[in-house]
Amino acid sequence: MIDNLLIIEDEEDTISILKRLVSANQFAKNIHVLRNGKEGIDYFETLTLEKNTNAPDLVLLDIHMPQMNGWDFLEWFTIRHKQEFPNTSVCMITVSDDPKYQQQASRYSCVVELIQKPLSRNHLSYLRQFQVHRKRLY
Amino acid sequence: MHRIPLRTSLIYFIVGTTGIVATDLLLHYVFQIDRGLTVAIAKGLLFVAVSSLMLYLMIRKNYRKLRRSEKQYRALFENNPSPTWIYKLADQRFLAVNEAAVQKYGYSRDEFLSMTCLELRPQEDVERFLNFVGTFHDEYQTAGTWRHRLNNGEIIYVTINTYPVDFNGEEAALVIAEDITKRLKTEQEAEQKSKKLEELNEKLLEKRERLRYVQKLAKVAGWEYYPDEDRLVGADEILGLFSAEDKGSPTYAELFEAIIPEDLPKVLRANKQLLRTGQKTEVSYRIRWNEQLRYLRQVGEADLLDGVRILRGMVQDVTAMKNMEKERDQAGSTLSRTLDSITDGVIELDRSWRVTRVNKAFEKLLEIEAGKVVGLAVLDVFPDAVSLKSFPEYTNVMEKGSVSRFEEYYASREQWFFVTAIPTQEGIAVYFKDITEHKRNEEQVRIWLHRYESVAKATSEAIFDFDLKTMMLIWNQGLERIYGYGPEYQETPLSWWEERVHPEDRQRASESLDKGIRNGSTFWSEQYRFRCADGTYKYVEDSGHIIFDSNQEAVQMIGSLRDIDELIKANAENKRLAEIITKVNNVIVITDVEGKISYINPRFTEVTGYTFEEVAGRKPGEVLQGAESDPQTVRHMGEAIRARQFFSVEIINYTREGRKYWMQIDCTPIYDDFGNHQGFIAIQNDVTERKEREVLLQEHVRILKEISWLNSHEIRRPVTEIMGLMYLIKDSDSELEKVELYGLVNEAAHNLDRIVREVAMKAYSLYGEKSLGSTDKLF
């Protein structure tokens, strides 16, 4: 079970399903939900300012969002994450099956996976395992 | 000498003592009166003794006085600076002379004392002297002037003052002579001088009188002005210049008032300058005197005379001269007016080659201003004159005084002049007549003649000389060579020509010729068919130059009948091609070397709306391209044109009305037979429809893409939702939760249904209205 999960997703329905799925599988202790990339940036900026060490262990990041989409958020986050949030991983979630997305996602080191919606229990267990590995690795 | 008082006293004493003693003794002894003889004698002797002593003292005192005065007297005599002497009246012998006399007369004192006064003077004066001595009386007197002779024989003049003296008891005369020779001489000289002066004065007066006459003749008056006293001397002379009557001497102010007001300032200025700087000034002014206007020339200079400032000078009455000048000027202006009215350009030069005058026509002819050239050396004004062929001519005229006429071409002005150079008193006068026009005509004629000659030998032309008066044509051999008409047709009437013009062309040709001659143009040209001697027709180009006489009447036409049959026939092929060009659906544009439109076919006008007149000479790009023409394509076209390379592009053009259309352009450089680049020919296709279709296609693709996106996102979203919910249901153990999740699935399914409908709607909204044949294929 990871400590902090951050969901950046604009679809209310998806959020509620995700929440249910996460709690049903006891995937994370704390779930924080943000509606778009811009909010994501603000959130991380606040963390930096408050020297809050409770950075999310995992970010579930949607791609298509209003105001700022997932890619733009990633552009910003990539620069910051190594220095300030080295323990935060990003998992991108999208409804699209566009193969370009896979390619694009692979360019960002912070992205561990791009998962086509909907998320299943298997996805979560995979992510959980990845997190465990990751902790061991670092 | 000083014993004289003692002697006198002793004599007195002896006489007194003797007297006393004798008388007392007589009384005693004769008369026996005895009252004490001894006492009486003693008393008497004492008295005598005492009085003797007193007498001695008195005499001595007087004598001393006398001696002193004598000493003084002698000193006066001896030291007198004037020669002084004493002579005895009786025999005029010198008794004493002083040192000054010795010095003056040159005789020693001893010589003097052995001489008489008579020897001192010239013989002729002796009588006068003796007379004078005879009348000499006892008082001081001035004896007047006498002539004396010195030891060296020189005669001097002296004035004599004399008075009688007693010299050692002798009657003598003291004489003081004063040498007045020098004074006399000076006086004489002065007298002479004054005499001369008088003579001179007389002469001067005479001269002055003469001067007056001369001045009157020259009308010159001298004057002197004393500014400190405001006194004018010589005003009468000035007045005399122009006024016969003697009105007395006018004052400076009076003269001044007579000056014409306009001239007053310059007179004042000149005078002021004269006063201030003392430099010589000259001023001319007018004066009005007795209702007469006189011109005066005044020259003045300043001087100092005994510390007094003085201005002097002369005034000359130049009225007559001025009048003459005026007259001359008038005559001159008449002359120059005449000169100016001459249409020939006239330039006058003096012997030093300076421009003295140019007339108006000259100014106009050479576009110069008289004011800027008069007075200048001619070569400064026309520096290239040296290079003129005719330059030596001018020198000849100037030096030999002969008239010269010649033609000269001024290359810098592109003008021909007929030049007449005439020697004048001052130098030369050159008349320029602009014969450029004439020359040009002449040249033209010459050129034509030359052409006539050379053309006569040319192959494809028959040259004719058409006399418009007689209506006769004279032909050259060309007529035979080309058209087969023998020498008998060397001269033909106009009707002969008309008969041989193709009947279909005849009227047109005749009318055209008539018109050409009548409307005053110099060139006429017409094409028609002309019948040869063998009866065949040839296409000819008939062109001629019409020559006019001085009344602007057409008198002659020189022309050529050019065989253009082959050309025309060759052109027929071209014409066919041209016809095709005009009729094809392609837009055809031909440009010259510079890329400017030289030809467009009718289709061009149909497509673009521009007529040939509107686009001729312009570049196709600047006419047709607009806002949406792709700059890169335009650049590419430009580069290809510069490189003279073929290019094929598609570009948005605009019609005259601004409607946008697509053009496909194939542009090929064209070359003539000799490989010279002639321009470009551009075949253009209106590909608007195809292009529009292409755009539509692109739009379809875009919509398809949009739909596929909708498909992947909008539709997949509810699907994933349903799938996600299904995962949850599968994992859930709680029935209650499952019911809830089913509800959500239901909701999502409805959502999906709605979205699918929306997508469909969108697709219809995009394509539904458009009548695209390919729509079916798209879906």
Side-chain angles (χ1 to χ4, degrees), chain B residues 312-361:
Chain B
R312 61 162 129 247
M314 66 106 199
V315 171
Q316 185 175 20
D317 183 354
V318 291
T319 312
M321 215 163 76
K322 276 280 173 190
N323 286 340
M324 266 161 70
E325 263 174 31
K326 236 196 226 164
E327 228 168 84
R328 184 202 66 194
D329 286 352
Q330 262 168 4
S333 76
T334 319
L335 262 172
S336 64
R337 261 208 302 282
T338 317
L339 213 58
D340 280 345
S341 58
I342 293 175
T343 52
D344 288 5
V346 180
I347 182 168
E348 287 180 23
L349 307 175
D350 63 14
R351 295 208 179 277
S352 56
W353 295 96
R354 277 179 194 286
V355 180
T356 51
R357 190 207 298 269
V358 299
N359 74 341
K360 282 267 183 311

Side-chain angles (χ1 to χ4, degrees), chain B residues 454-468:
Chain B
S454 59
V455 153
K457 294 170 198 154
T459 48
S460 60
E461 283 175 54
I463 307 297
F464 62 84
D465 187 338
F466 179 22
D467 189 331
L468 298 175

